[in-house]
Amino acid sequence: ESDFVQQFDEATSLYDMLATVLAQPPPWDNQQRPAYTVDSVDTYFLARPLGGMEKDERLVKVKSTMRLATILENPKYNILDGIPSFLVLPKSSPFTDQFIEHYRQQRLANDSAITKSDK
């Protein structure tokens, strides 16, 4: 599911933006015990090398105390289609574990392929 934030001042911290977006549990979350609260999520972005493909993407964790401007200045950060985007995942859930493992395995496979081609 996606949530589009129309205005997000670059001086605002990610934490403050998440506090606004997650003030009420999303409709698909457990309303009595939500997994998506500002203090129970981690935020990531997908970094893709210039000219890289989807298989080259890396998952980069973002500290919630960081300001949007600082994140956007990260040389690994790519803005696709003119819209900054982030992945917000519960800190502890089977889905999050599988999601992170997928990107870890992808990175290992790519690193292994690069090492083999260098020989």
Side-chain angles (χ1 to χ4, degrees), residues 81-108:
D81 299 325
I83 301 171
S85 62
F86 299 94
L87 301 163
V88 179
L89 303 170
K91 287 182 180 178
S92 58
S93 80
F95 173 80
T96 299
D97 295 342
Q98 291 172 359
F99 190 84
I100 292 171
E101 182 62 18
H102 165 77
Y103 280 96
R104 189 179 81 73
Q105 291 297 324
Q106 182 174 293
R107 186 189 78 237
L108 292 173

mmCIF file of all heavy atoms in Angstrom, residues 81-108:
data_model
loop_
_atom_site.group_PDB
_atom_site.id
_atom_site.type_symbol
_atom_site.label_atom_id
_atom_site.label_comp_id
_atom_site.label_asym_id
_atom_site.label_seq_id
_atom_site.Cartn_x
_atom_site.Cartn_y
_atom_site.Cartn_z
ATOM 1 N N ASP A 81 10.874 9.316 -11.157
ATOM 2 C CA ASP A 81 9.654 9.988 -11.612
ATOM 3 C C ASP A 81 9.362 11.255 -10.825
ATOM 4 O O ASP A 81 8.202 11.635 -10.641
ATOM 5 C CB ASP A 81 8.450 9.035 -11.548
ATOM 6 C CG ASP A 81 8.632 7.817 -12.433
ATOM 7 O OD1 ASP A 81 9.235 7.966 -13.515
ATOM 8 O OD2 ASP A 81 8.179 6.728 -12.045
ATOM 9 N N GLY A 82 10.400 11.907 -10.295
ATOM 10 C CA GLY A 82 10.238 13.174 -9.586
ATOM 11 C C GLY A 82 9.622 13.063 -8.197
ATOM 12 O O GLY A 82 9.254 14.062 -7.607
ATOM 13 N N ILE A 83 9.498 11.840 -7.682
ATOM 14 C CA ILE A 83 8.843 11.640 -6.385
ATOM 15 C C ILE A 83 9.779 10.872 -5.449
ATOM 16 O O ILE A 83 10.120 9.722 -5.720
ATOM 17 C CB ILE A 83 7.521 10.857 -6.542
ATOM 18 C CG1 ILE A 83 6.574 11.608 -7.469
ATOM 19 C CG2 ILE A 83 6.875 10.619 -5.173
ATOM 20 C CD1 ILE A 83 5.345 10.819 -7.853
ATOM 21 N N PRO A 84 10.200 11.503 -4.342
ATOM 22 C CA PRO A 84 10.980 10.742 -3.356
ATOM 23 C C PRO A 84 10.102 9.644 -2.759
ATOM 24 O O PRO A 84 8.914 9.845 -2.518
ATOM 25 C CB PRO A 84 11.328 11.780 -2.283
ATOM 26 C CG PRO A 84 11.059 13.104 -2.900
ATOM 27 C CD PRO A 84 10.021 12.885 -3.947
ATOM 28 N N SER A 85 10.682 8.474 -2.547
ATOM 29 C CA SER A 85 9.879 7.395 -1.963
ATOM 30 C C SER A 85 10.688 6.639 -0.915
ATOM 31 O O SER A 85 11.924 6.580 -0.982
ATOM 32 C CB SER A 85 9.372 6.440 -3.045
ATOM 33 O OG SER A 85 10.455 5.837 -3.705
ATOM 34 N N PHE A 86 9.945 6.088 0.036
ATOM 35 C CA PHE A 86 10.532 5.352 1.144
ATOM 36 C C PHE A 86 9.715 4.097 1.398
ATOM 37 O O PHE A 86 8.527 4.043 1.096
ATOM 38 C CB PHE A 86 10.544 6.219 2.417
ATOM 39 C CG PHE A 86 11.352 7.470 2.270
ATOM 40 C CD1 PHE A 86 10.756 8.656 1.898
ATOM 41 C CD2 PHE A 86 12.718 7.454 2.496
ATOM 42 C CE1 PHE A 86 11.502 9.812 1.746
ATOM 43 C CE2 PHE A 86 13.476 8.598 2.349
ATOM 44 C CZ PHE A 86 12.864 9.783 1.970
ATOM 45 N N LEU A 87 10.357 3.114 1.973
ATOM 46 C CA LEU A 87 9.683 1.887 2.393
ATOM 47 C C LEU A 87 9.591 1.931 3.912
ATOM 48 O O LEU A 87 10.604 2.097 4.593
ATOM 49 C CB LEU A 87 10.488 0.662 1.951
ATOM 50 C CG LEU A 87 10.718 0.553 0.454
ATOM 51 C CD1 LEU A 87 11.841 -0.417 0.149
ATOM 52 C CD2 LEU A 87 9.442 0.122 -0.225
ATOM 53 N N VAL A 88 8.406 1.797 4.433
ATOM 54 C CA VAL A 88 8.174 1.823 5.876
ATOM 55 C C VAL A 88 7.707 0.439 6.289
ATOM 56 O O VAL A 88 6.666 -0.033 5.830
ATOM 57 C CB VAL A 88 7.127 2.902 6.253
ATOM 58 C CG1 VAL A 88 6.884 2.913 7.753
ATOM 59 C CG2 VAL A 88 7.573 4.276 5.751
ATOM 60 N N LEU A 89 8.510 -0.207 7.139
ATOM 61 C CA LEU A 89 8.241 -1.586 7.543
ATOM 62 C C LEU A 89 8.226 -1.725 9.055
ATOM 63 O O LEU A 89 9.001 -1.050 9.738
ATOM 64 C CB LEU A 89 9.323 -2.513 6.982
ATOM 65 C CG LEU A 89 9.526 -2.504 5.467
ATOM 66 C CD1 LEU A 89 10.782 -3.284 5.103
ATOM 67 C CD2 LEU A 89 8.311 -3.081 4.770
ATOM 68 N N PRO A 90 7.389 -2.609 9.586
ATOM 69 C CA PRO A 90 7.412 -2.855 11.031
ATOM 70 C C PRO A 90 8.808 -3.356 11.436
ATOM 71 O O PRO A 90 9.451 -4.088 10.686
ATOM 72 C CB PRO A 90 6.374 -3.956 11.248
ATOM 73 C CG PRO A 90 5.523 -3.933 10.030
ATOM 74 C CD PRO A 90 6.384 -3.430 8.908
ATOM 75 N N LYS A 91 9.252 -2.932 12.613
ATOM 76 C CA LYS A 91 10.587 -3.338 13.070
ATOM 77 C C LYS A 91 10.717 -4.844 13.227
ATOM 78 O O LYS A 91 11.771 -5.403 12.967
ATOM 79 C CB LYS A 91 10.932 -2.649 14.390
ATOM 80 C CG LYS A 91 11.231 -1.185 14.231
ATOM 81 C CD LYS A 91 11.621 -0.552 15.538
ATOM 82 C CE LYS A 91 11.915 0.926 15.327
ATOM 83 N NZ LYS A 91 12.245 1.610 16.560
ATOM 84 N N SER A 92 9.676 -5.473 13.668
ATOM 85 C CA SER A 92 9.761 -6.927 13.847
ATOM 86 C C SER A 92 8.495 -7.585 13.324
ATOM 87 O O SER A 92 7.424 -7.452 13.901
ATOM 88 C CB SER A 92 9.977 -7.277 15.324
ATOM 89 O OG SER A 92 8.927 -6.763 16.103
ATOM 90 N N SER A 93 8.666 -8.249 12.197
ATOM 91 C CA SER A 93 7.561 -9.017 11.622
ATOM 92 C C SER A 93 8.166 -10.028 10.659
ATOM 93 O O SER A 93 9.246 -9.794 10.095
ATOM 94 C CB SER A 93 6.571 -8.110 10.893
ATOM 95 O OG SER A 93 7.046 -7.782 9.608
ATOM 96 N N PRO A 94 7.502 -11.139 10.451
ATOM 97 C CA PRO A 94 7.998 -12.124 9.483
ATOM 98 C C PRO A 94 8.152 -11.518 8.081
ATOM 99 O O PRO A 94 9.123 -11.802 7.381
ATOM 100 C CB PRO A 94 6.945 -13.226 9.498
ATOM 101 C CG PRO A 94 6.296 -13.107 10.846
ATOM 102 C CD PRO A 94 6.322 -11.629 11.169
ATOM 103 N N PHE A 95 7.202 -10.654 7.699
ATOM 104 C CA PHE A 95 7.306 -10.027 6.378
ATOM 105 C C PHE A 95 8.569 -9.191 6.269
ATOM 106 O O PHE A 95 9.297 -9.267 5.273
ATOM 107 C CB PHE A 95 6.078 -9.161 6.068
ATOM 108 C CG PHE A 95 6.252 -8.379 4.798
ATOM 109 C CD1 PHE A 95 6.057 -8.997 3.567
ATOM 110 C CD2 PHE A 95 6.654 -7.055 4.823
ATOM 111 C CE1 PHE A 95 6.249 -8.294 2.379
ATOM 112 C CE2 PHE A 95 6.852 -6.350 3.642
ATOM 113 C CZ PHE A 95 6.646 -6.965 2.422
ATOM 114 N N THR A 96 8.837 -8.371 7.279
ATOM 115 C CA THR A 96 10.026 -7.523 7.261
ATOM 116 C C THR A 96 11.286 -8.375 7.178
ATOM 117 O O THR A 96 12.196 -8.081 6.386
ATOM 118 C CB THR A 96 10.069 -6.619 8.507
ATOM 119 O OG1 THR A 96 8.918 -5.769 8.495
ATOM 120 C CG2 THR A 96 11.320 -5.763 8.544
ATOM 121 N N ASP A 97 11.346 -9.428 7.971
ATOM 122 C CA ASP A 97 12.511 -10.321 7.945
ATOM 123 C C ASP A 97 12.714 -10.905 6.545
ATOM 124 O O ASP A 97 13.838 -10.930 6.037
ATOM 125 C CB ASP A 97 12.355 -11.447 8.963
ATOM 126 C CG ASP A 97 12.333 -10.943 10.399
ATOM 127 O OD1 ASP A 97 12.774 -9.793 10.644
ATOM 128 O OD2 ASP A 97 11.870 -11.703 11.269
ATOM 129 N N GLN A 98 11.646 -11.356 5.910
ATOM 130 C CA GLN A 98 11.740 -11.932 4.561
ATOM 131 C C GLN A 98 12.143 -10.867 3.538
ATOM 132 O O GLN A 98 12.952 -11.126 2.640
ATOM 133 C CB GLN A 98 10.409 -12.557 4.158
ATOM 134 C CG GLN A 98 10.058 -13.804 4.935
ATOM 135 C CD GLN A 98 8.638 -14.269 4.639
ATOM 136 O OE1 GLN A 98 7.901 -13.664 3.868
ATOM 137 N NE2 GLN A 98 8.243 -15.363 5.277
ATOM 138 N N PHE A 99 11.584 -9.686 3.681
ATOM 139 C CA PHE A 99 11.869 -8.591 2.750
ATOM 140 C C PHE A 99 13.348 -8.220 2.804
ATOM 141 O O PHE A 99 14.018 -8.112 1.773
ATOM 142 C CB PHE A 99 10.986 -7.389 3.118
ATOM 143 C CG PHE A 99 11.001 -6.293 2.105
ATOM 144 C CD1 PHE A 99 10.165 -6.339 1.005
ATOM 145 C CD2 PHE A 99 11.842 -5.197 2.265
ATOM 146 C CE1 PHE A 99 10.169 -5.314 0.069
ATOM 147 C CE2 PHE A 99 11.848 -4.170 1.329
ATOM 148 C CZ PHE A 99 11.008 -4.230 0.235
ATOM 149 N N ILE A 100 13.865 -8.040 4.009
ATOM 150 C CA ILE A 100 15.278 -7.681 4.179
ATOM 151 C C ILE A 100 16.176 -8.818 3.705
ATOM 152 O O ILE A 100 17.195 -8.580 3.039
ATOM 153 C CB ILE A 100 15.562 -7.296 5.644
ATOM 154 C CG1 ILE A 100 14.837 -5.978 5.964
ATOM 155 C CG2 ILE A 100 17.056 -7.185 5.917
ATOM 156 C CD1 ILE A 100 14.852 -5.603 7.430
ATOM 157 N N GLU A 101 15.802 -10.040 3.994
ATOM 158 C CA GLU A 101 16.591 -11.196 3.559
ATOM 159 C C GLU A 101 16.650 -11.280 2.032
ATOM 160 O O GLU A 101 17.693 -11.618 1.460
ATOM 161 C CB GLU A 101 16.028 -12.487 4.151
ATOM 162 C CG GLU A 101 16.806 -13.730 3.793
ATOM 163 C CD GLU A 101 18.248 -13.745 4.294
ATOM 164 O OE1 GLU A 101 18.608 -12.964 5.205
ATOM 165 O OE2 GLU A 101 19.038 -14.550 3.760
ATOM 166 N N HIS A 102 15.553 -10.964 1.374
ATOM 167 C CA HIS A 102 15.532 -10.959 -0.095
ATOM 168 C C HIS A 102 16.609 -10.020 -0.641
ATOM 169 O O HIS A 102 17.375 -10.383 -1.536
ATOM 170 C CB HIS A 102 14.149 -10.541 -0.610
ATOM 171 C CG HIS A 102 14.135 -10.177 -2.053
ATOM 172 N ND1 HIS A 102 14.150 -11.117 -3.059
ATOM 173 C CD2 HIS A 102 14.139 -8.964 -2.655
ATOM 174 C CE1 HIS A 102 14.152 -10.495 -4.236
ATOM 175 N NE2 HIS A 102 14.147 -9.195 -4.013
ATOM 176 N N TYR A 103 16.681 -8.815 -0.104
ATOM 177 C CA TYR A 103 17.667 -7.846 -0.584
ATOM 178 C C TYR A 103 19.086 -8.239 -0.170
ATOM 179 O O TYR A 103 20.041 -7.990 -0.905
ATOM 180 C CB TYR A 103 17.312 -6.426 -0.131
ATOM 181 C CG TYR A 103 16.254 -5.842 -1.028
ATOM 182 C CD1 TYR A 103 14.908 -5.900 -0.677
ATOM 183 C CD2 TYR A 103 16.588 -5.288 -2.258
ATOM 184 C CE1 TYR A 103 13.932 -5.419 -1.520
ATOM 185 C CE2 TYR A 103 15.611 -4.796 -3.103
ATOM 186 C CZ TYR A 103 14.293 -4.857 -2.736
ATOM 187 O OH TYR A 103 13.324 -4.373 -3.588
ATOM 188 N N ARG A 104 19.235 -8.876 0.976
ATOM 189 C CA ARG A 104 20.551 -9.345 1.404
ATOM 190 C C ARG A 104 21.047 -10.431 0.448
ATOM 191 O O ARG A 104 22.189 -10.406 -0.010
ATOM 192 C CB ARG A 104 20.503 -9.877 2.838
ATOM 193 C CG ARG A 104 21.877 -10.176 3.422
ATOM 194 C CD ARG A 104 21.769 -10.671 4.856
ATOM 195 N NE ARG A 104 21.447 -12.073 4.947
ATOM 196 C CZ ARG A 104 22.306 -13.067 4.669
ATOM 197 N NH1 ARG A 104 23.526 -12.807 4.307
ATOM 198 N NH2 ARG A 104 21.929 -14.323 4.795
ATOM 199 N N GLN A 105 20.171 -11.373 0.120
ATOM 200 C CA GLN A 105 20.536 -12.446 -0.801
ATOM 201 C C GLN A 105 20.841 -11.890 -2.201
ATOM 202 O O GLN A 105 21.771 -12.340 -2.869
ATOM 203 C CB GLN A 105 19.431 -13.504 -0.883
ATOM 204 C CG GLN A 105 19.262 -14.324 0.379
ATOM 205 C CD GLN A 105 20.499 -15.140 0.713
ATOM 206 O OE1 GLN A 105 21.195 -15.637 -0.158
ATOM 207 N NE2 GLN A 105 20.780 -15.265 2.002
ATOM 208 N N GLN A 106 20.058 -10.929 -2.622
ATOM 209 C CA GLN A 106 20.275 -10.297 -3.925
ATOM 210 C C GLN A 106 21.639 -9.622 -3.960
ATOM 211 O O GLN A 106 22.380 -9.738 -4.941
ATOM 212 C CB GLN A 106 19.156 -9.285 -4.183
ATOM 213 C CG GLN A 106 19.227 -8.581 -5.504
ATOM 214 C CD GLN A 106 17.998 -7.729 -5.722
ATOM 215 O OE1 GLN A 106 16.901 -8.254 -5.867
ATOM 216 N NE2 GLN A 106 18.175 -6.424 -5.725
ATOM 217 N N ARG A 107 21.977 -8.909 -2.881
ATOM 218 C CA ARG A 107 23.277 -8.242 -2.804
ATOM 219 C C ARG A 107 24.412 -9.258 -2.830
ATOM 220 O O ARG A 107 25.401 -9.096 -3.551
ATOM 221 C CB ARG A 107 23.377 -7.384 -1.541
ATOM 222 C CG ARG A 107 24.664 -6.556 -1.496
ATOM 223 C CD ARG A 107 24.885 -5.874 -0.152
ATOM 224 N NE ARG A 107 25.382 -6.879 0.779
ATOM 225 C CZ ARG A 107 24.814 -7.192 1.937
ATOM 226 N NH1 ARG A 107 23.733 -6.585 2.335
ATOM 227 N NH2 ARG A 107 25.326 -8.111 2.713
ATOM 228 N N LEU A 108 24.273 -10.337 -2.058
ATOM 229 C CA LEU A 108 25.301 -11.366 -2.028
ATOM 230 C C LEU A 108 25.489 -12.007 -3.402
ATOM 231 O O LEU A 108 26.620 -12.261 -3.832
ATOM 232 C CB LEU A 108 24.961 -12.431 -0.987
ATOM 233 C CG LEU A 108 25.025 -11.980 0.474
ATOM 234 C CD1 LEU A 108 24.489 -13.071 1.399
ATOM 235 C CD2 LEU A 108 26.432 -11.584 0.861
#
